[in-house]
């Protein structure tokens, strides 16, 4: 009876909202259950759909962390995720037309050409509508490759990139970002043609906070790394355009809470953490918009 009441309340809410809604891909620790979703009609208040939609079954540890989703021109949703904490040289991939029925899961070995690679973390998808291709960036550590601070060699990350049009063939992996410090959890934001922002985590021991960099091309170079706009022990940025504002959500993992800032120029940031509601247990993924009928089906589970 509670389940029916819950579904009815959600459907009643959706009947009054706009044609599109926000989805937030998610996972719960210890990341062995699979893909989850939150949804929001305003970009601030989030509701958990309270179920999993794809079970992780590939990779060394068979987990699903950092699920990132982007939709292509043909309407297909593409999903990538971290499949292991370490010892994997790639990430997981699957696709879906409705976010319920998924293709077979595949492992994409993007770092197999680097035999000493420690990890492949937080692959992030970006659909480039100008070239009809997907940009995939992620963090990896290759010991003794780059200068480092107090981090151990196995925790000295840089960002890497590949591109694909069909998720069958991929461009050779290249270095995407070396800001001269350990960097993870980067997200590409397009403001307009030839105007891109990269939201990133400075993962060095003195910092462990979020910053931004700027570029004229989607694949970089990204320069002018900013001062931090969050406190220490924050990670996993997820960005949504809400009205004239950009909202940047982040995981305050030491406090075990979620926070957010809003900005219009990526230079001045206003803390709006008190205005958001993110369900307990949510861990970071990607925020994206879908048509209302997609969410209606997710709510019904079919």
């Amino acid at each position: 009876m509670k389940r029916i009441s819950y579904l009815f309340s959600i459907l009643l809410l959706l009947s009054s909202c706009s044609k599109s809604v926000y989805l937030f891909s998610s996972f719960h620790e210890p990341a062995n259950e699979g893909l989850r979703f939150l949804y929001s009609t305003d970009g601030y208040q989030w509701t958990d759909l309270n179920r999993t939609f794809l079970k992780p079954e590939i990779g060394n540890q068979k987990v699903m962390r950092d699920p990132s989703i982007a939709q292509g021109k043909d309407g297909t949703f593409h999903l990538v995720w971290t499949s292991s904490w370490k010892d994997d040289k790639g990430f997981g991939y699957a696709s879906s037309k409705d976010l319920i029925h998924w293709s077979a899961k595949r492992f994409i070995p993007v770092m197999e050409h680097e035999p000493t690679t420690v990890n492949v973390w937080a692959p992030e998808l970006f659909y480039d509508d100008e070239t009809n291709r997907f940009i995939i960036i992620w963090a990896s550590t290759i010991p003794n490759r780059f200068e480092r601070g107090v981090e151990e060699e196995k925790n000295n990350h840089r960002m890497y990139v590949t591109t694909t049009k069909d998720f069958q063939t991929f461009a050779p992996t290249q270095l995407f970002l070396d800001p001269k410090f350990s960097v993870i959890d980067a997200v590409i934001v397009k403001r307009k043609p030839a105007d891109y922002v990269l939201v990133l985590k400075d993962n060095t021991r003195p910092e462990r906070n979020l910053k931004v960099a700027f570029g004229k091309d989607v694949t970089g170079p990204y320069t002018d790394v900013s001062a931090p706009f969050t406190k220490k022990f924050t990670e996993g940025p997820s960005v949504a355009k809400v009205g004239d504002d950009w909202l940047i959500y982040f995981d305050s993992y030491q406090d075990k809470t979620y926070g957010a800032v809003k900005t219009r120029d990526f230079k001045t940031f206003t803390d709006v953490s008190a205005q958001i509601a993110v369900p307990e247990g949510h861990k970071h993924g990607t925020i994206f918009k879908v048509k209302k009928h997609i969410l209606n089906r997710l709510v019904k589970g079919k």
Side-chain angles (χ1 to χ4, degrees):
M1 189 69 181
K2 288 183 178 180
R3 173 68 175 171
I4 295 174
S5 178
Y6 172 73
L7 293 179
F8 178 76
S9 63
I10 292 178
L11 291 172
L12 184 63
L13 174 63
L14 292 179
S15 67
S16 62
C17 68
S18 64
K19 293 181 180 179
S20 295
V21 294
Y22 297 93
L23 284 185
F24 203 157
S25 56
S26 177
F27 71 99
H28 286 184
E29 297 286 13
N32 61 349
E33 295 179 341
L35 176 66
R36 295 175 177 270
F37 290 112
L38 313 180
Y39 79 88
S40 175
T41 58
D42 64 3
Y44 283 82
Q45 307 296 309
W46 295 89
T47 300
D48 195 335
L49 286 175
N50 286 318
R51 57 172 291 211
T52 57
F53 292 85
L54 184 66
K55 184 176 177 60
E57 296 173 326
I58 61 171
N60 179 46
Q61 289 182 289
K62 295 180 174 56
V63 296
M64 181 180 290
R65 303 180 60 85
D66 322 302
S68 176
I69 294 178
Q71 189 173 23
K73 184 172 64 174
D74 65 352
T76 300
F77 294 97
H78 299 272
L79 164 70
V80 295
W81 68 90
T82 305
S83 56
S84 291
W85 274 104
K86 60 181 181 178
D87 299 329
D88 266 358
K89 293 181 173 57
F91 50 76
Y93 166 77
S95 63
S96 174
K97 289 289 188 180
D98 58 9
L99 301 175
I100 297 174
H101 304 95
W102 291 89
S103 68
K105 293 172 280 289
R106 290 162 44 206
F107 184 77
I108 311 298
V110 289
M111 295 297 285
E112 64 179 352
H113 63 293
E114 293 282 2
T116 62
T117 298
V118 174
N119 59 333
V120 174
W121 279 2
E124 186 75 20
L125 273 175
F126 177 88
Y127 175 63
D128 182 9
D129 57 358
E130 295 181 30
T131 60
N132 189 30
R133 62 176 177 164
F134 291 87
I135 317 299
I136 314 171
I137 59 175
W138 66 91
S140 285
T141 294
I142 303 175
N144 304 303
R145 181 65 56 87
F146 300 99
E147 62 186 88
R148 65 179 177 88
V150 298
E151 287 71 41
E152 297 180 358
E153 283 294 345
K154 291 186 176 182
N155 194 34
N156 191 25
H157 299 81
R158 295 301 186 272
M159 296 299 304
Y160 293 85
V161 62
T162 186
T163 64
T164 184
K165 286 181 175 288
D166 57 10
F167 289 88
Q168 297 297 324
T169 58
F170 297 83
T173 294
Q174 296 182 352
L175 180 66
F176 178 73
L177 180 69
D178 174 17
K180 308 304 179 185
F181 56 78
S182 182
V183 57
I184 65 172
D185 290 355
V187 178
I188 298 170
V189 177
K190 181 180 181 180
R191 293 194 283 190
K192 59 184 179 181
D195 183 1
Y196 296 88
V197 179
L198 190 70
V199 185
L200 59 97
K201 180 187 178 184
D202 181 338
N203 200 43
T204 58
R205 300 304 91 179
E207 299 289 332
R208 286 178 281 189
N209 48 35
L210 300 186
K211 301 177 177 179
V212 293
F214 303 89
K216 295 181 179 180
D217 188 272
V218 64
T219 56
Y222 288 88
T223 59
D224 300 323
V225 177
S226 73
F229 62 86
T230 64
K231 64 181 183 179
K232 294 181 180 180
F233 305 109
T234 51
E235 65 182 8
S238 304
V239 186
K241 185 70 180 297
V242 180
D244 294 329
D245 297 317
W246 294 95
L247 295 190
I248 305 175
Y249 282 81
F250 52 86
D251 187 346
S252 294
Y253 57 94
Q254 189 179 54
D255 298 335
K256 296 183 179 180
T257 61
Y258 237 80
V261 300
K262 70 177 181 180
T263 184
R264 294 191 177 184
D265 58 8
F266 290 91
K267 295 179 181 179
T268 303
F269 302 88
T270 302
D271 192 329
V272 293
S273 299
Q275 301 174 36
I276 66 171
V278 177
E280 184 178 356
H282 166 70
K283 300 295 288 185
H284 50 269
T286 304
I287 299 174
F288 58 106
K289 296 190 80 171
V290 299
K291 299 297 185 182
K292 188 166 60 175
H293 71 86
I294 293 287
L295 179 56
N296 284 337
R297 294 192 64 185
L298 287 174
V299 169
K300 295 176 182 178
K302 59 183 180 179

